[in-house]
Amino acid sequence: TAGAGALQSSVQSSVAAAGGGPGGFFSQFALLLRRSWRQVRRDRATNGVRLATSLNSALVFGSIFWRMGTKQSSIQDRLGLLQVSAINAAMAALMKTLTAFTKEKVIVNRERASGAYGMFPYLLAKLAAELPVGAFFPLAFGAVVYPMAGLHPGLGRFSKFCGLITLESFSSSAVGLAVSAVAPSTEAAVAMGPAVMVLFIVFGGYYVNAENVPRAFRWINGCSLIKWAFQGLCINEFDGLEFAPSEAKTALGGGSGGKRGGAPPPGRSSDQRTGEDVLARLSFAAADGCSVGSAARAQVNVMSFCYLLTLHLLEKTAPKFARIEEI
């Protein structure tokens, strides 16, 4: 399409212009990487608050969903925990990026106007310095909430849970960069970012089944980072699980199922005995082509597109000055 062609040409021109500043691409990248790393290290107070917030959220969620068993009621609990975990990781990364990058953009534009460096080495150095540190907070969250809630045991399952949460955090940060690149101020970015994320949450696979999404909105469902994170987390959690049947009891107690106000007897048809039944109900079954790997690849696609879009927007909004001609 024309939009994709414009985006690609903008990226190519940015890469070509990267060596136009003093020292060429690699010198610019090395200098910008050192500066970005020093900035990350100096921001210890913010990182401390982010770590405390992540651990606090993990402790609260772990306490609410403490040691979930395999009862039928635990299915809803697991889905709720996985959804709020995805939202928590995305919002934390988004808000940090929105508030920080819009302020940094003012300095960057001033330096670019003087021809100090290209946008491509700047963005690459920024990501190389910040992503390793940014990965620590969702990993800390997962390390606490996973054993507390009693999610699907196994080192492989735990690793995939932490990997998906971390990847979603990166994707959300990329969305924040794209929003900040076009926002005229920090206040505007903070207003725009959550509005975008609300759409991603609504089409995140928990509130609206993918099969019931109207055709006009399916593109939102396809680019929702919440949806892909939630899908990957659900497959990782429910695949291979077995759940106990419902127990028969009445609302007043003491009676058998089947009376007015009582629950149906054990083994009722509405029971979901296996994790595969839950995934099929969510349209996340393997028969639909869903897997942890496909969900992770979709997250990478969303993240990559947002990085390219950020580069494109920053190039388009670069400060321009009229040439002063000699009379």
Side-chain angles (χ1 to χ4, degrees), residues 18-237:
F25 171 82
F26 292 104
S27 297
Q28 292 177 36
F29 174 76
L31 291 171
L32 291 166
L33 180 60
R34 285 198 293 269
R35 187 178 75 169
S36 297
W37 180 246
R38 285 198 301 268
Q39 184 177 349
V40 170
R41 291 181 59 188
R42 284 199 303 263
D43 206 8
R44 294 180 180 178
T46 300
N47 290 332
V49 172
R50 292 180 67 190
L51 178 60
T53 302
S54 297
L55 293 176
N56 179 70
S57 298
L59 290 172
V60 171
F61 295 163
S63 299
I64 294 173
F65 299 97
W66 176 259
R67 296 295 182 184
M68 295 179 292
T70 56
K71 299 185 297 183
Q72 289 293 308
S73 60
S74 72
I75 296 175
Q76 181 180 358
D77 293 344
R78 290 173 190 272
L79 291 172
L81 175 59
L82 297 179
Q83 177 72 357
V84 297
S85 296
I87 295 174
N88 177 74
M91 290 301 296
L94 176 73
M95 296 309 297
K96 186 268 178 185
T97 304
L98 292 176
T99 54
F101 186 61
T102 47
K103 297 176 182 178
E104 183 180 343
K105 188 174 66 171
V106 177
I107 301 174
V108 171
N109 284 337
R110 185 168 60 244
E111 293 175 341
R112 289 178 61 205
S114 65
Y117 49 79
M119 182 50 59
F120 184 66
Y122 159 74
L123 188 60
L124 192 62
K126 178 179 177 64
L127 297 177
E130 293 185 357
L131 288 184
V133 177
F136 181 72
F137 307 108
L139 289 175
F141 172 86
V144 174
V145 76
Y146 201 92
M148 286 185 67
L151 293 172
H152 202 147
L155 182 59
R157 303 275 183 174
F158 170 71
S159 300
K160 290 178 182 178
F161 177 90
C162 291
L164 288 167
I165 287 291
T166 303
L167 187 57
E168 186 204 17
S169 178
F170 291 167
S171 301
S172 182
S173 179
V175 172
L177 288 174
V179 172
S180 299
V182 73
S185 64
T186 302
E187 292 75 14
V190 170
M192 295 165 60
V196 173
M197 195 58 66
V198 166
L199 284 177
F200 289 166
I201 293 172
V202 171
F203 293 94
Y206 183 70
Y207 302 105
V208 181
N209 191 287
E211 295 181 353
N212 299 327
V213 175
R215 287 186 177 275
F217 299 111
R218 287 184 181 177
W219 66 272
I220 304 178
N221 190 66
C223 66
S224 171
L225 57 92
I226 300 291
K227 185 255 186 182
W228 295 117
F230 180 63
Q231 177 177 306
L233 292 173
C234 284
I235 296 172
N236 180 62
E237 175 63 21

